[in-house]
Amino acid sequence: MLIHPEFDPAAIRIGSFAIHWYGLMYLLAFAQFLLLGRLRVRTPRYQSLGWSYKDLEDLLFAGVLGVILGGRLGYTLFYMPGYYLSHPLSIFKIWEGGMSFHGGLLGVLLALLWFAYRRKVSFFVVSDLVAPLVPFGLAFGRLGNFINGELWGRPTDLPWAMVFPMVDSIPRHPSQIYQFFGEGICLGILLWIYSSKPRRLGQISGLFLLGYGICRFLAEFAREPDSFLGLLGLGLSMGQWLSIPMIIFGIYLIVRVNTKNGTYQ
């Protein structure tokens, strides 16, 4: 049995100034987006469109707004609508926690739509560029969850079970680590390899939706459901119900583009 080390929430302290681990993970996620994205915009498809590093910076700015606004609004609507309807000003208290990946995804999709409209290109030209960059950013986020000792797993007697002292003394799945490897590292490597060859427009985006949806759906079996929600219909968590449309739409995109002519160079 392992014990969570209960890290200091601040990664760096200089007097009264502190940089928290979760904020540092966000910075690392944004940095990898720019570094790996530089390689993506050098591919023939994006070179033919005249894309540059500046476009990546614009995409990142729009994406950050989408993540923050969509993630927060998604949490209030999907997880605690009753509370936030009664306390609307609390919606703006982001520092108290409460972000939804699925809400953040919707926010990012809107940001990509805006960017595609502004550049007068297909939405999937933009989403196929971004999709392989997202999982590695998610990996940093899940690492931040683990360091903070949040989003812990369900009780288990497996050899790698971990006790989270800030919760209780029950051995639990280190579900943050499962998600770090599943929806983060493994999905990121898969998408990077898949996108290294010409693909039809929308296939890369479809594989991301399908891959993330499956990884998240499976990881939720090991993750402790939110105490204020518990398990919903069919014994599934909110995260699983929100992942099902991703899986379905991911399959649809992959099947649909296979009926089209033309490849994504």
Side-chain angles (χ1 to χ4, degrees), residues 103-123:
L105 175 64
L106 292 176
V108 169
L109 291 178
L110 289 175
L112 299 187
L113 275 172
W114 167 81
F115 189 88
Y117 173 78
R118 190 170 68 89
R119 288 301 303 262
K120 296 181 173 57
V121 296
S122 165
F123 168 79

Side-chain angles (χ1 to χ4, degrees), residues 69-81:
L69 297 177
R72 186 59 174 172
L73 289 175
Y75 183 80
T76 62
L77 293 174
F78 298 150
Y79 290 88
M80 300 182 69

Side-chain angles (χ1 to χ4, degrees), residues 14 17-18 22 33 41 68 88 113 120 152 185 195 197 234 243 254 258 264:
I14 303 175
F17 176 77
Y22 208 62
F33 179 92
V41 296
I68 295 174
L113 275 172
K120 296 181 173 57
W152 51 84
I185 302 301
S195 63
K197 296 182 179 180
L234 302 179
S243 295
I254 294 171
N258 276 332
Y264 162 12

Side-chain angles (χ1 to χ4, degrees), residues 183-228:
E183 69 198 42
I185 302 301
C186 293
L187 181 59
I189 292 173
L190 174 63
L191 278 168
W192 193 261
I193 294 172
Y194 185 76
S195 63
S196 65
K197 296 182 179 180
R199 302 293 175 185
R200 290 174 177 166
L201 205 61
Q203 279 188 316
I204 299 172
S205 301
L207 183 60
F208 168 77
L209 291 174
L210 176 61
Y212 179 88
I214 291 174
C215 288
R216 179 66 182 268
F217 189 91
L218 295 176
E220 286 283 329
F221 284 116
R223 180 168 154 177
E224 184 73 20
D226 295 289
S227 59
F228 51 86

Side-chain angles (χ1 to χ4, degrees), residues 52-261:
S52 66
Y53 189 71
K54 177 66 166 59
D55 294 300
L56 273 181
E57 294 176 336
D58 292 343
L59 262 175
L60 178 60
F61 178 75
V64 168
L65 290 180
V67 166
I68 295 174
L69 297 177
R72 186 59 174 172
L73 289 175
Y75 183 80
T76 62
L77 293 174
F78 298 150
Y79 290 88
M80 300 182 69
Y83 173 80
Y84 287 105
L85 282 174
S86 302
H87 305 82
L89 292 179
S90 294
I91 294 174
F92 302 100
K93 298 179 181 179
I94 297 177
W95 57 89
E96 293 182 354
M99 297 285 281
S100 160
F101 166 81
H102 295 90
L105 175 64
L106 292 176
V108 169
L109 291 178
L110 289 175
L112 299 187
L113 275 172
W114 167 81
F115 189 88
Y117 173 78
R118 190 170 68 89
R119 288 301 303 262
K120 296 181 173 57
V121 296
S122 165
F123 168 79
F124 291 114
V125 169
V126 185
S127 63
D128 283 353
L129 169 71
V130 170
L133 310 177
V134 174
F136 297 114
L138 295 178
F140 283 116
R142 294 310 179 191
L143 191 57
N145 293 147
F146 177 76
I147 291 172
N148 286 346
E150 59 195 12
L151 305 183
W152 51 84
R154 304 185 194 189
T156 182
D157 57 0
L158 291 170
W160 56 84
M162 176 171 286
V163 171
F164 293 84
M166 71 291 291
V167 183
D168 51 34
S169 59
I170 300 174
R172 297 176 176 275
H173 286 284
S175 55
Q176 314 96 323
I177 301 301
Y178 298 169
Q179 292 186 261
F180 167 81
F181 282 109
E183 69 198 42
I185 302 301
C186 293
L187 181 59
I189 292 173
L190 174 63
L191 278 168
W192 193 261
I193 294 172
Y194 185 76
S195 63
S196 65
K197 296 182 179 180
R199 302 293 175 185
R200 290 174 177 166
L201 205 61
Q203 279 188 316
I204 299 172
S205 301
L207 183 60
F208 168 77
L209 291 174
L210 176 61
Y212 179 88
I214 291 174
C215 288
R216 179 66 182 268
F217 189 91
L218 295 176
E220 286 283 329
F221 284 116
R223 180 168 154 177
E224 184 73 20
D226 295 289
S227 59
F228 51 86
L229 278 180
L231 295 176
L232 306 178
L234 302 179
L236 301 179
S237 68
M238 176 62 81
Q240 288 174 312
W241 278 112
L242 293 175
S243 295
I244 290 174
M246 294 183 68
I247 295 172
I248 294 172
F249 193 57
I251 294 173
Y252 165 75
L253 279 181
I254 294 171
V255 172
R256 180 187 69 87
V257 298
N258 276 332
T259 67
K260 303 289 184 179
N261 293 323

